[in-house]
Amino acid sequence: LTLASPEVRFKLDADSQHPTDVCMYALKEANALVEEWMLLANITVAKKTLRHFPTLGVLRRHCPPSREMFAPLLAAAGAVGVQLDISSSKTLADSLDRAERPD
C-alpha cells in the first residue's frame, strides 16, 4: 500500500533564499519502514477504540496555520511570479494545482 504522493524539495540561493531548483525527494527504505509502523500503530489503536467504544468515533482536527506561517511560501512563490490564494484550504490547493512559472 502506497499512500504518499511525490514530495519535492527546493534548493535555495544561500544569499537571497530564493528558490533556484526543485527536485524530487528520494524516499529511503527507512522512511518506508517508519511509515509502515505508523500505519500499523494507527490500525491497532483504531481496532482497540472500536472494541471499547463501538458507538463513538474519533476525528482528528488541526488548527489552521496562521497567516504569518505562509509568509515565506508566499514570498518565494511571488519571487517567481506565482500567486497563491491562502484564504482557505481549498483555494490554496487549487492555486497550488494551477501554479506555473510565467516564463
Side-chain angles (χ1 to χ4, degrees):
L1 176 66
T2 303
L3 299 176
S5 58
E7 189 172 333
V8 296
R9 296 283 190 222
F10 293 94
K11 292 183 182 177
L12 304 177
D13 179 79
D15 297 324
S16 68
Q17 293 297 300
H18 291 159
T20 59
D21 197 9
V22 63
C23 57
M24 297 299 292
Y25 176 75
L27 187 64
K28 297 176 180 71
E29 191 174 338
N31 297 99
L33 183 62
V34 169
E35 287 177 9
E36 287 293 325
W37 281 101
M38 289 173 64
L39 189 57
L40 180 60
N42 288 340
I43 291 168
T44 303
V45 169
K47 286 179 179 179
K48 184 168 184 155
T49 301
L50 179 61
R51 199 167 45 251
H52 292 282
F53 306 100
T55 61
L56 301 176
V58 178
L59 175 64
R60 182 175 177 194
R61 184 169 179 230
H62 296 277
C63 295
S66 68
R67 216 170 160 76
E68 293 80 33
M69 293 180 74
F70 281 110
L73 174 64
L74 294 173
V80 295
V82 173
Q83 298 302 311
L84 299 177
D85 182 353
I86 62 167
S87 58
S88 73
S89 297
K90 170 98 172 92
T91 59
L92 175 60
D94 290 344
S95 60
L96 286 169
D97 286 342
R98 288 189 309 270
E100 187 174 310
R101 290 177 78 160
D103 53 25

